C-alpha cells in the first residue's frame, strides 16, 4: 500500500516574478530530500499561487528502504596484535557500532587492509520521517527576503499556515513557529477556510473557494478568455509572454475584462502607450485584427469572479487615463525641446566619476565607431550616418519620456529623431545601439547600428576595466557581462572577423582619454580578454554544446577573434568523428611539447636538411604559412594542419631533433617552432582529449 502526502506553505502575497522559480526549486529540493531519506515514490506534483507553494507526493512508499551501511575502522595492524588477537581498538570500534568483533571484515584501501563492519539499518515508517520535509522549505533561496513580527528568521514573505497531510492524518511539523495542520485558505476576498480530509482533494477544494492551484491552468484560462474577447471584437493582442507570466502569478482566480480610453491618446507613440499599460498597470494592449492598428482599448485580468465587473472596469479605466495623461504630458513637453538642447543637457548627467559626463562618453563612442568604420572599410554614406548619429545618439536619456519609461531608451531617440527631420538611417542607428538588451535579444541590422552598438559596448568595457570596475562573482552592476556577450554576438552574426586584443589596442589610442586611463587599460587588458573568453566559452557551451576540451583548445590561442573561435570550434567538433582526429591531436601536441619554450629566432636553412621527410615537412609548412597570410578561412587552415600531420609523424620517425651537429639541431628546432606557431594560431592541440 502506498501513501499520498501534501505539503503546503501559506504566505502573504509573493512577488509575481519569483513564484515559478520557487516552484521549480520546491520540486528539485523535494526530489533530493526523498532520495536522502530513502523514500520511494511514483510522482511529484507542485502547485503555486501568489499566496502558496505546495507539493504533493503520489505513490509514496510505506516506509524507508532498508540500508546496508559499511563502516570503516582502524587499520588491521592496529586492530590485531602480532598473534592475531583483537586489540582494544577493534573491540571498542565494534561495540561502538552495536556489533561484536565476530562481525568484523577486512578490506584493502590502496593495498593496506582495514577493519570494516556492515550494519543493516531498517527503514522507518514514512510518517516518522516525512515531516522533515520542512527542511526543504527552509532551503529555498530568494533574491530578497524579509523578517516579520518578533522572529529573527528571514523568508520570502511571512508564513501564515502550514499543511502536512499524509493520507487522512496530519504529520506533526512546524515552520517558523507555525504548526502544521490540514487547514488551508481559499481566495483572500472570496474564499473561506478549507479543511482537507485527503491530499487528493487539494485542487477541487481550492477551486470551490476561488483558487486555481496550477499556474498552467491559470495561464490557459487567461489565454482562452483573451482569445474569446478578441474573436468577439475583431482584435488581436501582441505576444507578451513576460506580462502573461506576471499576471498569472498575480491572481488566484483570473477573470479577464476589457476597458477603453479616449482615442485622442493615440497621438502618443504606440510604444509609450503600450509600456504605460503593460509595465505600470499590467494591461494587454489591443490592436485591430485586420490592420494591426493600435486601438483605444485594453485588456486586464481581475483576481476574482465576474461580480461587480462593471465597477471594476470603470475603476481601471480611471486609473489608466491618469497614467496616459502623464505619458501624453511627458511626450508633449519633450516635443518643445530640440535635439541639440537635449544633447547639451548630457553635460549635466554623470556617466562615471572618473570618466566624465554622458556627452564625453558620446564623443568617445563616436571616435570608436569611426575607427571601426575605417578598419572595416565601411562606405562613406555609412560614415556620414555615424558622424551624425554619434553626435546625438544618447540625447533621449534627457527626455521626460525615458525618465519615466527607461526601457524605451533608444526607441524614443529614434522616434524623436524622425519627428525632428533626421534621416531614417540615423534614427535606426540610434534605436539599435542598445541591442541586444538581454542575452538572447535582437541584434542591430543596419551597418551604422552595428558599428554604433559595438562602439558603445567596447568603450564601456575598455574604460570600466581601465578604472578597475571589474565584475567579481555574480556581482555585475554595470551589466558588463551582457555588453561583452553583445559584442561577441554582433561580430558573429555579421561575420566580422576582428582580433579583440589588436582592435582594443588601436581604439584606446584613438579615443580621447587621460593617460592614466590608458595606462589602466593596458594594466587590465589581459583581464578584459579573459572576460571575453569567459563569455565565448559560455556561448559555445550553451548554443552548440561544444565539448570542454575543444573550447579550451580554441580559446587558448594568442589572438581572440570571436568569429574565428566559433568556426574553429565547429570544425574540431565535426572532426572528432573522423579517423585522423587522434593522429592530428597527437602530432601537434608532440610538436608543442618539444617547441614550447624554445627561444630560437633564426631563419630555417633548407640546405641543411638531411632527409627527404625533413624537406617535405618544410615545403608543406611554407605552403600553409602562405595560405594563412592570404586567407582567413578557418576550414582551409585546418586542412593545411591535417596535411602536415602525417608529415610530422614521418619527420619524427626519420630524424632526431637534438642532432649532434648544432646547426642541424637548431635548424630542426626552428622548423618545429614555426609549425607550433602555425598550429597554435588555430588551436592549442595539447588541450584536446584524443586518447
Amino acid at each position: 500500500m502506498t501513501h499520498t502526502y501534501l505539503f503546503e506553505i501559506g504566505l502573504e502575497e509573493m512577488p509575481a516574478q519569483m513564484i515559478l522559480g520557487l516552484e521549480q526549486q520546491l520540486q528539485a529540493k523535494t526530489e533530493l530530500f526523498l532520495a536522502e531519506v530513502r523514500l520511494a515514490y511514483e510522482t511529484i506534483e507542485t502547485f503555486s499561487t501568489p499566496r502558496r507553494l505546495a507539493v504533493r507526493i503520489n505513490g509514496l512508499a510505506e516506509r524507508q528502504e532498508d540500508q546496508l551501511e559499511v563502516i570503516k575502522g582502524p587499520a588491521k595492524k592496529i586492530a590485531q596484535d602480532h598473534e592475531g588477537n583483537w586489540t582494544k581498538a577493534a573491540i571498542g570500534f565494534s561495540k561502538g557500532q552495536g556489533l561484536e568483533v565476530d562481525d568484523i571484515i577486512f578490506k584493502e584501501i590502496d593495498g593496506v587492509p582495514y577493519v570494516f563492519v556492515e550494519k543493516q539499518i531498517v527503514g522507518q515508517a514514512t510518517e516518522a520521517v516525512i515531516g522533515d520535509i520542512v527542511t526543504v522549505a527552509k532551503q529555498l533561496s530568494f533574491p530578497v527576503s524579509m523578517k516579520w513580527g518578533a522572529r529573527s528568521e528571514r523568508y520570502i514573505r511571512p508564513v501564515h499556515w502550514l499543511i502536512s497531510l499524509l493520507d487522512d492524518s496530519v504529520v506533526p511539523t512546524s515552520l517558523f513557529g507555525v504548526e502544521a495542520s490540514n487547514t488551508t485558505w481559499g481566495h483572500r476576498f472570496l474564499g473561506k477556510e478549507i479543511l482537507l480530509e485527503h491530499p487528493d482533494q487539494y485542487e477541487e477544494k481550492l477551486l470551490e473557494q476561488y483558487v486555481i492551484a496550477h499556474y498552467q491552468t491559470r495561464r490557459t484560462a487567461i489565454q482562452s478568455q483573451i482569445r474569446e474577447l478578441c474573436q468577439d471584437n475583431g482584435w488581436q493582442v501582441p505576444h507578451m509572454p513576460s506580462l502573461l507570466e506576471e499576471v498569472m502569478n498575480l491572481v488566484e482566480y483570473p477573470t479577464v475584462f476589457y476597458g477603453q480610453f479616449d482615442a485622442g491618446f493615440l497621438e502618443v507613440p504606440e510604444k509609450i502607450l503600450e509600456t504605460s499599460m503593460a509595465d505600470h498597470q499590467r494591461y494587454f494592449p489591443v490592436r485591430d485584427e485586420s490592420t494591426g492598428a493600435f486601438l483605444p482599448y485594453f485588456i486586464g485580468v481581475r483576481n476574482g469572479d465576474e461580480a461587480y465587473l462593471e465597477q471594476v472596469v470603470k475603476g481601471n479605466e480611471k486609473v489608466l487615463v491618469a497614467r496616459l495623461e502623464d505619458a501624453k504630458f511627458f511626450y508633449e513637453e519633450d516635443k518643445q525641446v530640440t535635439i541639440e538642447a537635449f544633447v547639451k543637457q548630457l553635460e549635466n548627467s554623470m556617466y562615471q566619476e572618473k570618466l566624465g559626463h554622458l556627452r564625453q562618453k558620446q564623443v568617445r563612442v563616436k571616435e570608436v565607431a569611426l575607427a571601426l568604420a575605417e578598419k572595416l572599410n565601411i562606405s562613406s554614406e555609412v560614415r556620414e550616418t555615424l558622424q551624425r548619429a554619434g553626435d546625438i545618439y544618447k540625447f533621449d536619456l534627457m527626455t521626460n519620456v525615458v525618465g519615466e519609461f527607461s526601457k524605451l531608451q533608444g526607441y524614443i531617440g529614434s522616434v524623436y529623431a524622425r519627428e525632428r527631420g533626421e534621416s531614417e538611417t540615423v534614427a535606426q542607428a540610434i534605436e539599435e545601439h542598445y541591442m541586444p538588451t538581454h542575452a538572447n535579444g535582437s541584434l542591430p541590422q543596419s551597418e551604422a547600428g552595428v558599428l554604433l552598438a559595438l562602439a558603445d559596448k567596447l568603450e564601456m568595457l575598455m574604460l570600466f576595466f581601465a578604472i578597475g570596475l571589474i565584475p567579481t562573482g555574480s556581482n555585475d552592476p554595470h551589466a558588463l557581462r551582457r555588453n561583452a556577450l553583445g559584442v561577441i554576438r554582433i561580430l558573429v552574426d555579421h561575420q566580422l572577423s576582428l582580433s579583440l586584443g589588436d582592435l582594443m589596442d588601436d581604439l584606446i589610442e584613438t579615443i580621447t582619454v587621460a593617460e592614466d586611463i590608458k595606462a589602466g587599460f593596458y594594466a587590465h587588458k589581459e583581464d578584459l580578454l579573459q572576460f571575453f573568453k569567459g563569455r565565448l566559452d559560455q556561448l559555445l557551451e550553451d548554443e552548440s554544446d561544444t565539448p570542454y576540451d575543444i573550447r579550451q583548445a580554441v580559446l587558448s590561442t594568442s589572438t581572440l577573434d570571436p568569429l574565428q573561435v566559433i568556426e574553429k570550434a565547429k570544425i574540431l567538433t565535426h572532426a572528432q568523428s573522423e579517423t585522423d582526429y587522434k593522429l592530428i591531436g597527437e602530432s601537434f601536441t608532440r610538436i608543442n611539447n618539444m617547441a614550447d619554450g624554445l627561444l630560437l629566432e633564426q631563419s630555417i636553412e633548407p640546405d641543411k636538411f638531411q632527409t627527404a621527410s625533413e624537406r617535405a615537412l618544410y615545403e608543406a609548412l611554407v605552403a600553409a604559412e602562405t595560405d594563412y597570410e592570404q586567407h582567413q578561412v578557418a576550414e582551409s587552415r585546418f586542412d593545411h594542419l591535417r596535411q602536415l600531420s602525417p608529415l610530422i609523424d614521418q619527420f619524427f620517425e626519420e630524424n632526431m631533433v637534438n642532432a649532434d651537429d648544432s646547426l642541424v639541431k637548431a635548424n630542426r628546432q626552428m622548423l618545429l617552432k614555426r609549425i607550433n606557431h602555425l598550429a597554435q594560431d588555430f588551436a592549442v592541440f595539447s588541450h584536446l582529449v584524443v586518447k
Side-chain angles (χ1 to χ4, degrees), residues 511-542:
I511 59 180
T512 306
V513 289
E515 289 302 317
D516 62 324
I517 301 294
K518 287 185 181 180
F521 165 75
Y522 288 117
H524 292 292
K525 176 186 171 184
E526 189 57 36
D527 295 330
L528 181 51
L529 288 173
Q530 289 299 321
F531 188 72
F532 272 114
K533 286 182 180 181
R535 312 287 75 72
L536 252 176
D537 183 52
Q538 194 68 51
L539 189 68
L540 286 168
E541 182 180 15
D542 292 345

Side-chain angles (χ1 to χ4, degrees), residues 8 48 182 209 286 308 350 367 373 412 502 547 567 576 673:
E8 183 192 55
S48 62
N182 60 341
Q209 299 301 322
V286 173
Y308 309 107
M350 184 63 67
E367 292 170 340
I412 289 300
D502 295 341
E567 287 301 314
Q576 275 186 311
K673 183 175 181 180

Side-chain angles (χ1 to χ4, degrees), residues 30 33 93 164 200 240 261 266 315 375 537 601 614 619:
T30 298
F33 166 76
F93 167 69
S164 175
D200 289 342
M240 305 178 79
F261 56 88
L266 297 180
K375 194 171 190 69
D537 183 52
E601 290 296 340
E614 201 172 2
E619 290 173 354

Side-chain angles (χ1 to χ4, degrees), residues 282-303:
R282 279 68 180 179
Y283 298 148
F284 294 88
V286 173
R287 293 180 179 272
D288 185 276
E289 185 178 26
S290 56
T291 67
F294 207 89
L295 298 177
Y297 297 96
F298 66 93
I299 292 176
V301 182
R302 179 192 188 186
N303 184 24

Side-chain angles (χ1 to χ4, degrees), residues 538-548 550-551 573 576:
Q538 194 68 51
L539 189 68
L540 286 168
E541 182 180 15
D542 292 345
E543 294 197 358
S544 56
D545 199 25
T546 305
Y548 175 79
I550 291 178
R551 301 200 311 267
T573 301
Q576 275 186 311

Side-chain angles (χ1 to χ4, degrees), residues 319-529:
V319 171
L320 179 59
V321 166
R323 286 291 188 184
L324 296 183
E325 285 177 345
D326 287 344
K328 186 175 182 180
F329 172 78
F330 294 139
Y331 174 63
E332 295 293 340
E333 286 292 298
D334 286 343
K335 287 173 70 174
Q336 310 305 314
V337 185
T338 64
I339 288 178
E340 286 67 26
F342 282 130
V343 170
K344 181 67 176 174
Q345 291 175 30
L346 291 172
E347 297 175 5
N348 301 322
S349 183
M350 184 63 67
Y351 171 50
Q352 204 285 327
E353 183 180 2
K354 295 181 180 179
L355 302 176
H357 50 65
L358 279 171
R359 191 168 188 182
Q360 289 172 309
K361 173 190 170 63
Q362 188 171 259
V363 168
R364 291 191 296 266
V365 170
K366 177 183 175 182
E367 292 170 340
V368 172
L370 292 174
L372 286 170
E374 180 75 23
K375 194 171 190 69
L376 296 169
N377 297 316
I378 300 299
S379 68
S380 58
E381 290 82 5
V382 174
R383 294 189 200 195
E384 288 179 13
T385 296
L386 282 176
Q387 286 279 1
R388 179 56 180 163
D391 283 337
I392 65 173
Y393 83 102
K394 286 291 186 186
F395 81 88
D396 67 347
L397 294 180
M398 298 296 103
T399 64
N400 288 296
V401 168
V402 170
E404 181 71 11
F405 308 108
S406 61
K407 68 182 292 183
L408 295 181
Q409 53 193 357
Y411 165 76
I412 289 300
S414 70
V415 171
Y416 287 6
R418 291 184 186 96
E419 289 179 349
R420 288 157 175 79
E422 300 291 342
S423 69
E424 177 60 28
T425 54
V426 168
Q428 187 175 357
I430 292 172
E431 181 170 6
E432 290 181 331
H433 89 270
Y434 281 107
M435 296 179 177
T437 55
H438 53 85
N440 298 310
S442 300
L443 298 173
Q445 295 304 309
S446 70
E447 284 189 275
V450 165
L451 294 175
L452 198 59
L454 285 172
D456 188 71
K457 292 165 179 58
L458 285 168
E459 185 269 355
M460 185 177 196
L461 287 159
M462 291 166 60
L463 298 192
F464 274 54
F465 269 71
I467 61 176
L469 293 179
I470 303 173
T472 56
S474 61
N475 186 34
D476 188 12
H478 306 292
L480 297 185
R481 290 187 179 90
R482 188 191 73 203
N483 279 282
L485 182 60
V487 169
I488 292 167
R489 289 187 61 217
I490 292 170
L491 291 175
V492 173
D493 186 72
H494 290 276
Q495 296 291 291
L496 299 175
S497 183
L498 292 169
S499 167
L500 289 178
D502 295 341
L503 174 64
M504 293 189 296
D505 283 345
D506 293 341
L507 295 180
I508 197 66
E509 297 300 331
T510 299
I511 59 180
T512 306
V513 289
E515 289 302 317
D516 62 324
I517 301 294
K518 287 185 181 180
F521 165 75
Y522 288 117
H524 292 292
K525 176 186 171 184
E526 189 57 36
D527 295 330
L528 181 51
L529 288 173

